[in-house]
DNA sequence: CTTGCATTTCAGAAATTACTGAAATGCGTG
DNA sequence: CACGCATTTCAGTAATTTCTGAAATGCAAG
């Protein structure tokens, strides 16, 4: 890996972090490398920059594509694939959340619903617990749906509200801006 | 593993899910088992229920304790340790978020800040990218701080606002409920 | 201080996951 | 349709993580 120290350290950090999430070190490093690069990079360049095998690069890129985290580009007169990350960081966050939801939340909801379908079976506590968990997850995904309907600007606005959130709820409630869901 | 099918399937599901997060299958299963149990369980019971080794149980419980995800209980006249999960699901979510933040977000923020400290080094794009990422993460953690200051009831209120969030922002802005952050 | 139970530690075994090089496939160009 | 380059697949190997049984530790009660 022969990169400027800044890139080097950034990439190593996200390699480590990657392994705490579901993705492996290499995939994290590839993403970090692309993230810092203004120009799209091809597989050969990535392979050299990270000192990994060409096939590892190929698998890593495939993984990133399955997460919708990289975009494929082409240069005129060059038939190699070039990869970039979106310029808009919020778009990256949205993609991450959406993909994790698809892979983790949705299957969990199906399982919980399936378990509830079986009806009472003797352990009322466990059944209540499962129902409660399902409700919580549904509530959070609905909230997320709402947030993802907002454009970036609005989201930033919401985020920067800082400590005014609680007060806002008060005001809204007094004004009956919304009713019971 | 000799459990009712409901418990069985719930536990297996969270075992699988656990491995997508940083935690391993066994730890996920132990947590799922405790989650469904009204009564606190001791290590011996868990070992038998999941058909794992006693030492594996011990390590799993240690891991869960390090995440603050289980509570230790004692029964009079019994010196074994008993474990439970909190009744309040929101508390569980809060703990999860707080711990992941401590382990993933905070170290990342330090790294990014350290990288920025090094000052201009030739790659303006990469430096801008890192700064932008740091700002995004800071914004999200501030938002999270705000949300975690709210009590459960308020949070549910916020979550169930459904599609009224965007409108609420409009209204609030018109009324100048908050200014620039 | 010893006994008896409960828990933890730890080194090695087992299982899983990641990585590589070589071969195969795909695909545009002449 | 064959050549050349780019990418993917895959079987074997390497590395890492998880799990176990045995030994060590801890600790309350007698």
């Amino acid at each position: 890996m022969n990169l400027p120290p800044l890139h080097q350290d950034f990439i190593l950090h996200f390699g480590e972090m990657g392994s705490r999430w579901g993705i492996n070190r290499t995939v994290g490093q590839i993403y970090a490398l692309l993230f810092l690069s203004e120009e799209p990079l091809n597989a050969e360049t990535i392979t050299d920059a990270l000192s990994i095998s060409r096939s590892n690069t190929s698998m890593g890129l495939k993984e990133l594509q399955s997460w919708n985290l990289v975009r494929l580009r082409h240069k005129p007169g060059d038939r190699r694939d070039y990869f970039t990350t979106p310029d808009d960081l919020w778009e990256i966050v949205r993609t991450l959340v959406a993909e994790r939801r698809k892979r983790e939340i949705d299957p969990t909801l199906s399982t919980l619903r399936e378990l509830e379908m079986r009806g009472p079976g003797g352990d009322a506590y466990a059944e209540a617990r499962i129902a409660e968990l399902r409700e919580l997850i549904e509530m959070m995904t609905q909230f997320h749906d709402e947030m993802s309907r907002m454009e970036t600007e609005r989201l930033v606005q919401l985020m920067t509200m800082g400590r005014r959130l609680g007060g806002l709820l008060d005001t809204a409630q007094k004004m009956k801006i919304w009713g019971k869901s």
Side-chain angles (χ1 to χ4, degrees), chain A residues 94 101 139-151 154-155 158:
Chain A
R94 270 194 265 261
R101 173 170 172 179
M139 182 182 290
M140 296 199 323
T141 53
Q142 280 169 240
F143 184 63
H144 167 249
D145 284 343
E146 175 54 29
M147 302 245 304
S148 49
R149 229 174 273 121
M150 295 168 62
E151 334 72 88
R154 268 290 167 67
L155 225 39
L158 179 65

Side-chain angles (χ1 to χ4, degrees), chain A residues 156-168:
Chain A
V156 171
Q157 190 187 13
L158 179 65
M159 295 272 164
T160 52
M161 274 166 58
R163 67 171 41 82
R164 297 169 189 90
L165 234 189
L168 176 61

Side-chain angles (χ1 to χ4, degrees), chain A residues 27-138:
Chain A
V27 174
Q29 291 182 351
I30 294 175
Y31 195 79
L33 178 66
L34 292 175
F35 181 84
L36 292 188
S37 169
E38 187 161 17
E39 293 305 313
L41 304 178
N42 62 41
E44 187 62 20
T45 310
I46 296 168
T47 300
D48 293 345
L50 301 179
S51 310
I52 58 180
S53 72
R54 182 60 186 74
S55 53
N56 199 6
T57 305
S58 177
M59 293 188 300
L61 286 170
K62 220 184 73 179
E63 171 91 357
L64 286 172
Q65 282 176 289
S66 84
W67 279 82
N68 273 305
L69 280 171
V70 291
R71 306 207 172 302
L72 187 53
R73 289 286 175 74
H74 282 105
K75 302 200 184 215
D78 184 341
R79 54 201 180 83
R80 288 172 294 179
D81 293 336
Y82 284 78
F83 299 88
T84 22
T85 61
D87 290 333
D88 180 2
L89 263 55
W90 286 95
E91 189 186 330
I92 296 175
V93 172
R94 270 194 265 261
T95 304
L96 267 173
V97 175
E99 289 294 325
R100 289 189 81 87
R101 173 170 172 179
K102 191 161 70 191
R103 289 156 196 250
E104 291 154 19
I105 306 300
D106 292 349
T108 297
L109 269 181
S110 321
T111 299
L112 295 179
R113 285 179 184 136
E114 194 268 309
L115 295 178
E116 286 185 277
M117 286 305 224
R118 298 184 188 177
D123 187 342
Y125 181 81
E127 284 156 18
R129 229 27 193 159
I130 288 171
E132 208 186 340
L133 179 60
R134 196 238 329 126
E135 283 160 21
L136 177 84
I137 296 176
E138 276 173 354

